């Protein structure tokens, strides 16, 4: 293994820190919504959490498109191939907009049916559907932001997506206060007010990303040239690499929707506690996601330049950083779980369940984050998008989901015990398989 080259740490931090801050803002977006809606009670919180799962599922589909595209963009960027970057971006944009149109149509036409996937409570379904009808209109703007952000981050222009997230979160906070609670003479719209605030924030985010991207003369200034060069052979090459990544994220998201359905059918209180926990867990994972992004850009660029030893070094350093960071995050979550939960206006029963589940998350943080950095940061950047798909599908659908359904729906175990089964049944096997694959270096597969 070669020694760390000059500027390595500076490059890592210049990518990881802005992306981490951006992810922190995105997570705080969810946290703020959860805190404010939680004041209205357990049922509104559960209803918005259930309706929000549809949006979350779509963002995971977007992430699948973006993961596949970022492999090409990073390697094209390392090879200084602007035309390749443009056609990859064009194809990604077509795919994400098609997905947003499909999800928006379903949410607008069948909102009650979507929420009913997670609950059988009539009042919860009605509240969730009223939220979903509004938030669905934001989907095309979310697609634009994801596509533009992927291009900018993969080419090292990470500050623009960060600024867009910062402004959109500020807009969301103000509008939430005005529209949920009816401050300053505005109508108190409750969960519908939260949906309107999120819709406007999504529009603002897209406008900032593309406005700044065009003004700064970034590679977003492609116009119709982004669609030129998209030949049948390029689509086939793109599909070979990108389809497994897209399927990986989609199948993972679908599995998590099924997990959510399990908790929803365990009761509204159970779903509310999981909503609180996942909001905090997402907030605590932003630094690792920042490392995933810096790892993907650095490995992809190194492989694009033909520097395989540097790609191996990048991978090793990022895994080491992820382990150390996960220990610190887990310790912090364990120590601060009481103060964190005190921020949420939920019932004592929900808080007790969430307290125990957060302890499980904290103690298992290292085991949970190693698969993330290896799949999203290392394997995909190296060009290997298949291995993660295979392992994730086996552990999720053949092991994790059946055991979780057995524990929660048939044995009627508590929420913390069911969550423990869900976590451990997947992560132990995934960690072992991914570490073995990592050490083989078979994930290094140039795609350009």
């Amino acid at each position: 293994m070669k020694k760390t080259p000059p500027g390595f740490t500076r490059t890592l931090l210049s990518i990881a820190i802005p992306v981490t801050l951006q992810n922190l803002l995105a997570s705080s977006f969810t946290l703020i919504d959860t805190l404010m809606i939680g004041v209205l009670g357990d049922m509104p919180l559960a209803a918005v959490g259930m309706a929000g799962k549809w949006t979350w599922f779509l963002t995971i589909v977007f992430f699948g498109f973006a993961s596949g595209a970022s492999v090409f963009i990073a390697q094209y960027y390392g090879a200084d191939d602007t035309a390749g970057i443009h056609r990859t971006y064009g194809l990604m944009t077509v795919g994400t907009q098609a997905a947003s149109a499909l999800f928006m149509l379903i949410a607008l036409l069948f909102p009650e049916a979507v929420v009913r996937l997670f609950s059988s409570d009539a009042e919860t379904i009605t509240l969730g559907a009223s939220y979903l009808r509004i938030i669905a209109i934001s989907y095309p703007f979310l697609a634009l932001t994801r596509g533009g952000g992927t291009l900018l981050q993969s080419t090292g222009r990470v500050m623009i997506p960060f600024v867009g997230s910062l402004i959109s979160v500020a807009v969301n906070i103000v509008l939430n206060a005005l529209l949920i609670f009816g401050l300053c003479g505005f109508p108190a719209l409750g969960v519908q007010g939260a949906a309107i605030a999120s819709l406007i924030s999504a529009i603002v985010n897209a406008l900032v990303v593309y406005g700044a991207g065009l003004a700064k003369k970034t590679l977003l200034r492609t116009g119709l040239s982004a669609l030129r060069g998209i030949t049948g052979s390029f689509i086939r090459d793109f599909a070979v690499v990108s389809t497994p990544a897209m399927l990986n994220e989609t199948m993972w998201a679908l599995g998590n929707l099924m997990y959510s359905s399990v908790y929803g059918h365990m009761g509204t209180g159970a779903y509310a506690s999981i909503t609180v926990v996942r909001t905090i867990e997402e907030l605590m994972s932003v630094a690792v996601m920042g490392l995933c992004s810096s790892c993907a850009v650095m490995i992809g660029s190194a492989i694009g330049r033909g520097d395989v030893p540097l790609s191996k070094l990048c991978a090793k350093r990022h895994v080491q950083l992820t382990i150390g960071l996960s220990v610190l995050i887990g310790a912090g979550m364990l120590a601060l779980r009481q103060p964190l939960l005190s921020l949420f206006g939920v019932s004592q029963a929900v808080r007790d369940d969430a307290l125990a589940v957060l302890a499980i998350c904290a103690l298992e943080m290292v085991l949970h984050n190693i698969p993330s950095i290896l799949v999203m940061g290392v394997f995909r950047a190296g060009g290997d998008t298949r291995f993660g798909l295979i392992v994730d599908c086996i552990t999720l659908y053949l092991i994790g989901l059946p055991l979780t359904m057995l524990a929660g729906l048939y044995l009627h175990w508590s929420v913390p015990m069911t969550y423990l089964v869900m976590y451990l049944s997947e992560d132990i096997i995934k960690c072992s398989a991914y570490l073995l694959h990592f050490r083989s270096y078979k994930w290094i597969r140039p795609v350009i």
Side-chain angles (χ1 to χ4, degrees):
M1 183 75 66
K2 63 190 289 187
K3 293 183 178 180
T4 304
F8 178 90
T9 302
R10 183 173 63 252
T11 302
L12 187 156
L13 294 177
S14 69
I15 299 171
I17 291 177
V19 173
T20 296
L21 292 175
Q22 182 189 351
N23 289 335
L24 181 62
L25 288 170
S27 297
S28 66
F29 192 104
T30 305
L31 176 63
I32 291 162
D33 276 357
T34 304
L35 287 172
M36 291 186 170
I37 295 167
V39 175
L40 302 177
D42 291 352
M43 185 169 291
L45 177 62
V48 171
M50 291 172 185
K53 275 297 176 184
W54 187 249
T55 307
W56 173 83
F57 187 24
L58 176 60
T59 61
I60 296 298
V61 174
F62 289 163
F63 185 73
F65 276 104
S67 295
S70 63
V71 176
F72 282 85
I73 293 174
Q75 293 193 21
Y76 279 131
Y77 185 62
D80 199 24
D81 186 345
T82 301
I85 294 173
H86 284 171
R87 63 176 173 264
T88 303
Y89 168 72
L91 194 56
M92 174 178 55
T93 300
V94 171
T96 52
Q97 285 297 334
S100 73
L102 175 62
F103 274 69
M104 181 173 66
L105 187 63
I106 293 173
L108 291 175
L109 295 178
F110 313 106
E112 290 86 1
V114 172
V115 182
R116 197 174 288 114
L117 293 172
F118 310 105
S119 176
S120 55
D121 183 84
E123 187 175 351
T124 302
I125 291 170
T126 300
L127 276 175
S130 68
Y131 179 91
L132 189 58
R133 286 189 186 95
I134 298 170
I135 199 66
I137 302 171
S138 71
Y139 293 169
F141 299 98
L142 296 176
L144 285 173
T145 303
R146 168 56 73 180
T150 298
L151 174 61
L152 293 169
Q153 288 178 0
S154 299
T155 54
R157 304 298 295 268
V158 293
M159 287 304 297
I160 294 175
F162 165 66
V163 173
S165 294
L166 180 63
I167 294 173
S168 70
V169 167
V171 170
N172 187 58
I173 292 172
V174 174
L175 292 180
N176 266 345
L178 296 176
L179 298 176
I180 293 176
F181 306 112
L183 301 181
C184 301
F186 282 81
L189 301 176
V191 297
Q192 290 181 329
I196 294 171
S198 296
L199 168 60
I200 295 173
S201 300
I203 295 172
V204 169
N205 199 356
L207 290 175
V208 171
V209 168
Y210 279 86
L214 295 175
K216 295 290 185 180
K217 299 182 180 180
T218 67
L219 289 171
L220 279 179
R221 300 182 68 178
T222 61
L224 292 177
S225 65
L227 301 177
R228 298 194 191 108
I230 302 180
T231 62
S233 61
F234 176 72
I235 293 174
R236 285 192 297 272
D237 291 341
F238 185 88
V240 167
V241 174
S242 300
T243 300
M246 288 185 278
L247 285 175
N248 194 173
E249 295 303 327
T250 302
M251 296 301 290
W252 179 81
L254 182 60
N256 273 268
L257 286 180
M258 296 172 71
Y259 277 135
S260 297
S261 181
V262 171
Y263 293 111
H265 285 90
M266 288 172 67
T268 300
Y271 197 93
S273 66
I274 295 302
T275 298
V276 170
V277 167
R278 287 190 166 165
T279 301
I280 296 173
E281 187 182 16
E282 184 179 338
L283 191 65
M284 293 294 180
S285 67
V286 294
V288 173
M289 296 307 295
L291 286 178
C292 287
S293 296
S294 66
C295 183
V297 173
M298 295 176 74
I299 289 177
S301 297
I303 292 177
R305 295 192 300 272
D307 193 344
V308 172
L310 179 59
S311 68
K312 294 180 179 179
L313 175 66
C314 289
K316 182 178 179 181
R317 291 288 183 269
H318 278 86
V319 171
Q320 292 169 342
L321 285 170
T322 298
I323 292 173
L325 193 59
S326 297
V327 171
L328 293 176
I329 293 171
M333 184 186 291
L334 197 61
L336 298 174
R337 58 199 173 108
Q338 287 273 19
L340 286 171
L341 287 174
S342 67
L343 298 173
F344 297 86
V346 294
S347 65
Q348 188 60 46
V350 169
R351 189 171 299 169
D352 289 342
D353 279 342
L355 191 67
V357 173
L358 275 178
I360 295 170
C361 294
L363 294 172
E364 211 244 7
M365 189 63 66
V366 173
L367 203 61
H368 193 64
N369 284 336
I370 287 176
S372 297
I373 189 67
L374 289 177
V375 173
M376 293 185 287
V378 177
F379 298 162
R380 291 180 187 171
D384 181 2
T385 55
R386 293 176 180 271
F387 192 78
L389 169 64
I390 295 169
V391 174
D392 275 7
C393 283
I394 290 173
T395 54
L396 175 58
Y397 289 99
L398 299 184
I399 301 172
L401 263 173
L403 290 178
T404 302
M405 292 174 68
L406 176 65
L409 299 180
Y410 295 97
L411 298 179
H412 303 291
W413 287 3
S414 65
V415 172
M417 285 302 299
T418 303
Y419 206 84
L420 180 64
V421 169
M422 182 187 78
Y423 251 44
L424 291 181
S425 61
E426 282 196 53
D427 288 345
I428 291 175
I429 298 173
K430 285 199 292 191
C431 268
S432 302
Y434 289 147
L435 285 172
L436 287 172
H437 190 61
F438 170 68
R439 290 169 181 166
S440 73
Y441 294 114
K442 292 179 180 179
W443 47 269
I444 300 177
R445 301 176 183 179
V447 300
I448 65 171

